[in-house]
Amino acid sequence: MIDFHSLPFYSKIALIVGFSIGFFSFVLVLRYPIILILMKYSPEYREFMKRTLARKKQKLP
């Protein structure tokens, strides 16, 4: 286990930036599976998505 407090300043920054990039890429890649899982288990979310998609279709020319 790495002791975070004993690392040099630039190593702390690199570690934080690396974890941040990893987390955001994880969220971006799994965005659609998360939406599908939420739609399966939450009827309220399913209705919200239907209304949102219907509004987007109406705005298109």
Side-chain angles (χ1 to χ4, degrees):
M1 187 74 163
I2 298 173
D3 184 20
F4 185 74
H5 298 290
S6 67
L7 290 174
F9 179 70
Y10 293 113
S11 297
K12 288 179 186 178
I13 291 176
L15 192 62
I16 291 170
V17 168
F19 275 110
S20 299
I21 290 171
F23 177 74
F24 287 119
S25 65
F26 180 75
V27 169
L28 288 175
V29 168
L30 291 179
R31 177 177 52 196
Y32 295 113
I34 290 170
I35 289 173
L36 292 174
I37 290 168
L38 285 173
M39 286 177 66
K40 180 174 179 152
Y41 291 110
S42 175
E44 296 89 17
Y45 188 76
R46 190 179 313 133
E47 292 300 321
F48 169 74
M49 289 303 290
K50 285 180 184 178
R51 287 192 306 269
T52 303
L53 291 173
R55 269 190 249 131
K56 282 185 180 180
K57 285 182 183 179
Q58 289 176 352
K59 287 183 181 179
L60 292 175

Coordinates of all heavy atoms in Angstrom, one line a residue:
M1 N 0.8 -1.2 0.0 CA 0.0 0.0 0.0 C 0.9 1.2 0.0 O 1.9 1.3 0.7 CB -0.9 0.0 1.3 CG -1.9 1.0 1.3 SD -3.2 0.6 0.2 CE -4.5 1.6 0.7
I2 N 0.5 2.2 -0.8 CA 1.3 3.4 -1.0 C 0.8 4.4 0.1 O -0.4 4.7 0.2 CB 1.2 4.0 -2.4 CG1 1.8 3.0 -3.4 CG2 1.9 5.4 -2.5 CD1 1.6 3.5 -4.8
D3 N 1.7 5.1 0.8 CA 1.3 6.1 1.7 C 1.2 7.4 0.9 O 2.2 7.9 0.5 CB 2.3 6.2 2.8 CG 1.9 7.3 3.9 OD1 0.7 7.6 3.9 OD2 2.8 7.7 4.6
F4 N 0.0 7.9 0.7 CA -0.2 9.0 -0.2 C 0.5 10.3 0.4 O 1.0 11.1 -0.4 CB -1.7 9.3 -0.3 CG -2.1 10.4 -1.2 CD1 -2.0 10.2 -2.6 CD2 -2.5 11.6 -0.7 CE1 -2.4 11.2 -3.5 CE2 -2.9 12.6 -1.6 CZ -2.8 12.4 -3.0
H5 N 0.6 10.4 1.7 CA 1.2 11.6 2.3 C 2.7 11.7 2.2 O 3.3 12.8 2.3 CB 0.8 11.7 3.8 CG -0.7 11.9 3.9 ND1 -1.4 13.0 3.6 CD2 -1.6 11.0 4.4 CE1 -2.7 12.8 3.8 NE2 -2.9 11.6 4.3
S6 N 3.3 10.6 1.9 CA 4.8 10.6 1.8 C 5.2 10.8 0.3 O 6.4 10.9 0.1 CB 5.3 9.2 2.3 OG 4.9 8.2 1.5
L7 N 4.3 10.8 -0.6 CA 4.7 11.0 -2.0 C 5.1 12.5 -2.3 O 4.6 13.4 -1.6 CB 3.5 10.7 -2.9 CG 3.1 9.2 -3.0 CD1 1.9 9.0 -3.8 CD2 4.3 8.4 -3.6
P8 N 6.0 12.7 -3.3 CA 6.3 14.1 -3.7 C 5.0 14.7 -4.3 O 4.1 14.1 -4.8 CB 7.4 13.9 -4.7 CG 7.9 12.5 -4.5 CD 6.8 11.7 -3.9
F9 N 5.0 16.1 -4.4 CA 3.9 16.8 -4.8 C 3.5 16.4 -6.3 O 2.3 16.2 -6.5 CB 4.2 18.3 -4.8 CG 3.1 19.2 -5.3 CD1 1.9 19.3 -4.5 CD2 3.2 19.9 -6.5 CE1 0.9 20.1 -5.0 CE2 2.2 20.7 -6.9 CZ 1.0 20.8 -6.2
Y10 N 4.4 16.3 -7.2 CA 4.1 16.0 -8.6 C 3.6 14.6 -8.7 O 2.7 14.3 -9.6 CB 5.3 16.3 -9.5 CG 5.6 17.7 -9.6 CD1 6.8 18.2 -9.1 CD2 4.8 18.6 -10.2 CE1 7.2 19.5 -9.1 CE2 5.1 20.0 -10.3 CZ 6.3 20.4 -9.7 OH 6.6 21.8 -9.8
S11 N 4.0 13.7 -7.9 CA 3.5 12.3 -8.0 C 2.1 12.3 -7.5 O 1.2 11.5 -8.0 CB 4.4 11.4 -7.1 OG 5.7 11.4 -7.6
K12 N 1.7 13.1 -6.5 CA 0.3 13.2 -6.0 C -0.6 13.7 -7.1 O -1.6 13.2 -7.3 CB 0.2 14.1 -4.8 CG 0.8 13.6 -3.5 CD 0.7 14.6 -2.4 CE 1.4 14.1 -1.2 NZ 1.3 15.1 -0.1
I13 N -0.1 14.8 -7.8 CA -0.9 15.3 -8.9 C -1.1 14.3 -10.0 O -2.2 14.1 -10.5 CB -0.2 16.6 -9.4 CG1 -0.3 17.7 -8.4 CG2 -0.9 17.0 -10.7 CD1 0.4 19.0 -8.8
A14 N 0.0 13.6 -10.4 CA -0.1 12.6 -11.4 C -1.1 11.5 -11.0 O -1.9 11.0 -11.8 CB 1.3 12.0 -11.7
L15 N -1.0 11.1 -9.8 CA -1.9 10.0 -9.3 C -3.4 10.5 -9.3 O -4.3 9.7 -9.8 CB -1.5 9.6 -7.9 CG -2.1 8.4 -7.3 CD1 -1.7 7.2 -8.1 CD2 -1.6 8.2 -5.9
I16 N -3.6 11.7 -8.9 CA -5.0 12.2 -8.9 C -5.5 12.4 -10.3 O -6.7 12.0 -10.6 CB -5.1 13.5 -8.1 CG1 -4.8 13.2 -6.6 CG2 -6.4 14.2 -8.3 CD1 -4.6 14.5 -5.7
V17 N -4.7 12.9 -11.2 CA -5.1 13.1 -12.6 C -5.4 11.8 -13.2 O -6.4 11.6 -14.0 CB -4.0 13.9 -13.3 CG1 -4.3 13.9 -14.8 CG2 -4.0 15.3 -12.9
G18 N -4.5 10.8 -13.0 CA -4.7 9.4 -13.6 C -6.0 8.8 -13.1 O -6.8 8.2 -13.9
F19 N -6.3 8.9 -11.8 CA -7.6 8.3 -11.3 C -8.8 9.1 -11.8 O -9.8 8.5 -12.1 CB -7.6 8.3 -9.8 CG -6.9 7.1 -9.2 CD1 -5.7 7.2 -8.5 CD2 -7.5 5.8 -9.3 CE1 -5.1 6.1 -8.0 CE2 -6.9 4.7 -8.8 CZ -5.7 4.8 -8.1
S20 N -8.6 10.4 -12.0 CA -9.8 11.2 -12.5 C -10.1 10.8 -14.0 O -11.2 10.6 -14.4 CB -9.4 12.7 -12.4 OG -9.2 13.0 -11.1
I21 N -9.0 10.7 -14.8 CA -9.2 10.3 -16.2 C -9.8 8.9 -16.3 O -10.7 8.6 -17.1 CB -7.9 10.4 -16.9 CG1 -7.4 11.8 -17.1 CG2 -7.9 9.7 -18.3 CD1 -6.0 12.0 -17.6
G22 N -9.3 8.0 -15.4 CA -9.8 6.6 -15.4 C -11.3 6.6 -15.1 O -12.1 5.9 -15.7
F23 N -11.7 7.4 -14.0 CA -13.1 7.4 -13.6 C -14.0 8.0 -14.7 O -15.0 7.4 -15.0 CB -13.2 8.2 -12.3 CG -14.6 8.3 -11.8 CD1 -15.2 7.3 -11.2 CD2 -15.3 9.5 -12.0 CE1 -16.6 7.4 -10.8 CE2 -16.6 9.7 -11.6 CZ -17.2 8.6 -11.0
F24 N -13.6 9.1 -15.3 CA -14.4 9.7 -16.3 C -14.5 8.8 -17.6 O -15.6 8.7 -18.2 CB -13.9 11.1 -16.7 CG -14.2 12.1 -15.6 CD1 -13.2 12.8 -15.0 CD2 -15.5 12.3 -15.2 CE1 -13.5 13.7 -14.0 CE2 -15.8 13.3 -14.2 CZ -14.8 13.9 -13.6
S25 N -13.5 8.1 -17.9 CA -13.6 7.2 -19.1 C -14.5 6.0 -18.8 O -15.2 5.6 -19.6 CB -12.2 6.8 -19.5 OG -11.6 6.0 -18.5
F26 N -14.4 5.6 -17.5 CA -15.3 4.5 -17.1 C -16.7 4.9 -17.2 O -17.6 4.1 -17.7 CB -14.9 4.1 -15.7 CG -15.7 3.0 -15.1 CD1 -15.5 1.7 -15.5 CD2 -16.7 3.3 -14.1 CE1 -16.3 0.7 -14.9 CE2 -17.5 2.2 -13.6 CZ -17.2 0.9 -14.0
V27 N -17.0 6.1 -16.7 CA -18.4 6.6 -16.8 C -18.9 6.8 -18.2 O -20.0 6.4 -18.6 CB -18.5 7.9 -16.0 CG1 -19.9 8.6 -16.2 CG2 -18.4 7.6 -14.5
L28 N -18.0 7.3 -19.1 CA -18.4 7.5 -20.5 C -18.6 6.2 -21.2 O -19.5 6.1 -22.1 CB -17.3 8.4 -21.2 CG -17.3 9.8 -20.8 CD1 -16.1 10.5 -21.5 CD2 -18.5 10.5 -21.1
V29 N -17.8 5.2 -21.0 CA -17.9 3.9 -21.7 C -19.2 3.2 -21.2 O -19.9 2.6 -22.0 CB -16.7 3.1 -21.5 CG1 -16.9 1.7 -21.9 CG2 -15.5 3.7 -22.2
L30 N -19.5 3.3 -19.9 CA -20.6 2.5 -19.4 C -21.9 3.3 -19.2 O -22.8 2.9 -18.5 CB -20.2 1.9 -18.0 CG -19.2 0.8 -18.0 CD1 -18.8 0.4 -16.7 CD2 -19.7 -0.3 -18.9
R31 N -21.9 4.5 -19.9 CA -23.1 5.4 -19.8 C -24.3 4.6 -20.3 O -25.4 4.6 -19.6 CB -22.8 6.6 -20.6 CG -24.0 7.6 -20.7 CD -23.6 8.8 -21.5 NE -23.1 8.5 -22.8 CZ -22.4 9.3 -23.5 NH1 -22.2 10.5 -23.1 NH2 -21.9 8.9 -24.7
Y32 N -24.3 4.0 -21.5 CA -25.5 3.4 -22.0 C -25.9 2.1 -21.3 O -27.1 1.9 -21.0 CB -25.3 3.1 -23.5 CG -25.2 4.4 -24.3 CD1 -24.0 4.8 -24.9 CD2 -26.2 5.3 -24.4 CE1 -23.9 6.0 -25.6 CE2 -26.1 6.5 -25.0 CZ -25.0 6.8 -25.7 OH -24.8 8.0 -26.3
P33 N -25.0 1.3 -20.9 CA -25.4 0.1 -20.0 C -26.1 0.6 -18.7 O -27.0 0.0 -18.2 CB -24.2 -0.7 -19.8 CG -23.3 -0.3 -20.9 CD -23.6 1.1 -21.3
I34 N -25.5 1.7 -18.1 CA -26.1 2.2 -16.9 C -27.5 2.7 -17.1 O -28.5 2.4 -16.4 CB -25.2 3.3 -16.3 CG1 -24.0 2.7 -15.7 CG2 -26.0 4.0 -15.2 CD1 -22.9 3.7 -15.3
I35 N -27.8 3.4 -18.3 CA -29.1 3.9 -18.6 C -30.0 2.7 -18.8 O -31.2 2.7 -18.4 CB -29.0 4.8 -19.9 CG1 -28.4 6.1 -19.5 CG2 -30.4 5.0 -20.4 CD1 -28.1 7.0 -20.7
L36 N -29.6 1.6 -19.5 CA -30.4 0.5 -19.7 C -30.8 -0.2 -18.4 O -31.9 -0.7 -18.3 CB -29.8 -0.5 -20.7 CG -29.6 0.0 -22.1 CD1 -28.8 -1.0 -23.0 CD2 -30.9 0.3 -22.8
I37 N -29.9 -0.4 -17.5 CA -30.1 -1.0 -16.3 C -31.1 -0.2 -15.5 O -32.1 -0.7 -14.9 CB -28.8 -1.2 -15.5 CG1 -28.0 -2.3 -16.1 CG2 -29.1 -1.6 -14.0 CD1 -26.6 -2.4 -15.6
L38 N -31.0 1.1 -15.4 CA -31.9 2.0 -14.7 C -33.3 1.9 -15.4 O -34.3 1.9 -14.6 CB -31.4 3.5 -14.8 CG -30.3 3.8 -13.8 CD1 -29.8 5.2 -14.1 CD2 -30.7 3.6 -12.4
M39 N -33.4 1.8 -16.7 CA -34.7 1.7 -17.3 C -35.3 0.4 -17.0 O -36.6 0.4 -16.9 CB -34.5 1.9 -18.8 CG -34.2 3.4 -19.2 SD -34.0 3.6 -21.0 CE -35.6 3.2 -21.6
K40 N -34.6 -0.6 -16.8 CA -35.2 -1.9 -16.5 C -35.8 -2.0 -15.1 O -36.8 -2.5 -14.9 CB -34.1 -3.0 -16.7 CG -34.7 -4.4 -16.4 CD -33.6 -5.5 -16.7 CE -34.3 -6.8 -16.3 NZ -33.8 -7.9 -17.1
Y41 N -35.1 -1.4 -14.2 CA -35.5 -1.5 -12.8 C -36.3 -0.4 -12.2 O -36.9 -0.5 -11.2 CB -34.3 -1.7 -11.9 CG -33.6 -3.1 -12.1 CD1 -32.4 -3.2 -12.8 CD2 -34.3 -4.2 -11.8 CE1 -31.9 -4.5 -13.0 CE2 -33.8 -5.5 -12.0 CZ -32.5 -5.6 -12.6 OH -32.0 -6.8 -12.9
S42 N -36.4 0.8 -12.9 CA -37.1 1.9 -12.4 C -38.1 2.4 -13.4 O -37.7 3.0 -14.5 CB -36.1 3.1 -12.1 OG -36.8 4.2 -11.7
P43 N -39.4 2.2 -13.2 CA -40.4 2.6 -14.1 C -40.5 4.2 -14.2 O -40.7 4.7 -15.3 CB -41.7 2.1 -13.5 CG -41.3 1.1 -12.5 CD -39.9 1.4 -12.1
E44 N -40.1 4.9 -13.2 CA -40.1 6.3 -13.2 C -39.0 6.8 -14.2 O -39.3 7.7 -15.0 CB -39.9 7.0 -11.8 CG -41.0 6.7 -10.8 CD -40.7 5.4 -10.1 OE1 -39.6 4.9 -10.1 OE2 -41.7 4.9 -9.5
Y45 N -37.9 6.2 -14.1 CA -36.8 6.6 -15.0 C -37.2 6.3 -16.5 O -36.9 7.0 -17.4 CB -35.5 5.9 -14.6 CG -34.3 6.4 -15.4 CD1 -33.7 7.6 -15.1 CD2 -33.7 5.7 -16.4 CE1 -32.6 8.1 -15.8 CE2 -32.7 6.1 -17.1 CZ -32.1 7.3 -16.8 OH -31.0 7.8 -17.5
R46 N -37.8 5.1 -16.7 CA -38.2 4.7 -18.0 C -39.2 5.8 -18.6 O -39.0 6.2 -19.8 CB -38.9 3.4 -17.9 CG -39.2 2.7 -19.3 CD -39.8 1.4 -19.1 NE -39.2 0.5 -18.1 CZ -39.8 -0.1 -17.2 NH1 -41.1 -0.1 -17.1 NH2 -39.1 -0.9 -16.3
E47 N -40.1 6.2 -17.8 CA -41.1 7.2 -18.3 C -40.4 8.6 -18.6 O -40.7 9.3 -19.5 CB -42.2 7.5 -17.3 CG -43.1 6.3 -17.2 CD -43.8 5.9 -18.5 OE1 -44.2 6.8 -19.2 OE2 -43.9 4.7 -18.8
F48 N -39.4 8.9 -17.7 CA -38.6 10.1 -17.9 C -37.9 10.1 -19.2 O -37.9 11.0 -20.0 CB -37.7 10.3 -16.8 CG -36.6 11.4 -17.0 CD1 -37.0 12.7 -16.9 CD2 -35.3 11.1 -17.3 CE1 -36.0 13.7 -17.1 CE2 -34.4 12.0 -17.5 CZ -34.7 13.4 -17.4
M49 N -37.3 8.9 -19.6 CA -36.5 8.8 -20.8 C -37.5 8.9 -22.0 O -37.1 9.4 -23.0 CB -35.7 7.5 -20.8 CG -34.6 7.5 -19.9 SD -33.4 8.8 -20.2 CE -32.7 8.3 -21.7
K50 N -38.7 8.3 -21.9 CA -39.6 8.3 -23.0 C -40.0 9.8 -23.3 O -40.1 10.2 -24.4 CB -40.9 7.5 -22.7 CG -40.6 6.0 -22.8 CD -41.9 5.2 -22.5 CE -41.7 3.7 -22.5 NZ -42.9 3.0 -22.1
R51 N -40.3 10.5 -22.2 CA -40.7 11.9 -22.4 C -39.6 12.7 -23.0 O -39.8 13.6 -23.9 CB -41.1 12.5 -21.1 CG -42.5 12.0 -20.6 CD -43.0 12.9 -19.4 NE -42.0 13.0 -18.3 CZ -42.0 12.2 -17.3 NH1 -42.8 11.2 -17.1 NH2 -41.0 12.4 -16.3
T52 N -38.4 12.5 -22.5 CA -37.2 13.2 -23.0 C -37.0 12.9 -24.5 O -36.8 13.8 -25.3 CB -35.9 12.8 -22.3 OG1 -36.2 13.1 -20.9 CG2 -34.7 13.6 -22.7
L53 N -37.1 11.7 -24.9 CA -36.9 11.3 -26.3 C -38.0 11.9 -27.2 O -37.8 12.3 -28.3 CB -36.8 9.8 -26.5 CG -35.6 9.1 -25.9 CD1 -35.7 7.6 -26.0 CD2 -34.3 9.6 -26.7
A54 N -39.2 11.9 -26.7 CA -40.4 12.5 -27.4 C -40.2 14.0 -27.6 O -40.4 14.5 -28.7 CB -41.7 12.2 -26.7
R55 N -39.7 14.7 -26.6 CA -39.4 16.1 -26.8 C -38.3 16.4 -27.8 O -38.4 17.3 -28.5 CB -39.0 16.7 -25.4 CG -40.2 17.2 -24.6 CD -39.7 18.0 -23.4 NE -40.1 17.2 -22.3 CZ -39.3 16.9 -21.2 NH1 -38.1 17.3 -21.2 NH2 -39.8 16.2 -20.3
K56 N -37.3 15.5 -27.8 CA -36.2 15.7 -28.7 C -36.7 15.5 -30.2 O -36.3 16.2 -31.1 CB -35.0 14.7 -28.4 CG -34.2 15.2 -27.3 CD -33.0 14.3 -27.1 CE -32.1 14.7 -25.9 NZ -31.0 13.8 -25.8
K57 N -37.6 14.5 -30.4 CA -38.1 14.3 -31.7 C -39.0 15.4 -32.2 O -39.0 15.8 -33.4 CB -39.0 13.0 -31.7 CG -38.1 11.7 -31.7 CD -39.0 10.5 -31.7 CE -38.2 9.2 -31.6 NZ -39.0 8.0 -31.7
Q58 N -39.7 16.1 -31.3 CA -40.5 17.2 -31.6 C -39.7 18.4 -32.0 O -40.1 19.2 -32.9 CB -41.5 17.6 -30.5 CG -42.5 16.6 -30.2 CD -43.4 17.0 -29.0 OE1 -43.0 17.9 -28.3 NE2 -44.5 16.3 -28.8
K59 N -38.5 18.6 -31.4 CA -37.7 19.8 -31.7 C -37.0 19.6 -33.1 O -36.6 20.6 -33.7 CB -36.6 19.9 -30.6 CG -37.2 20.5 -29.3 CD -36.1 20.7 -28.3 CE -36.7 21.2 -27.0 NZ -35.6 21.4 -26.0
L60 N -36.8 18.4 -33.6 CA -36.1 18.2 -34.8 C -37.0 18.7 -36.0 O -38.2 18.5 -35.9 CB -35.7 16.8 -35.0 CG -34.6 16.2 -34.1 CD1 -34.5 14.7 -34.3 CD2 -33.3 16.9 -34.3
P61 N -36.4 19.3 -37.0 CA -37.2 19.8 -38.1 C -37.8 18.7 -39.0 O -37.4 17.7 -39.1 CB -36.3 20.7 -38.9 CG -34.9 20.4 -38.5 CD -35.0 19.7 -37.1

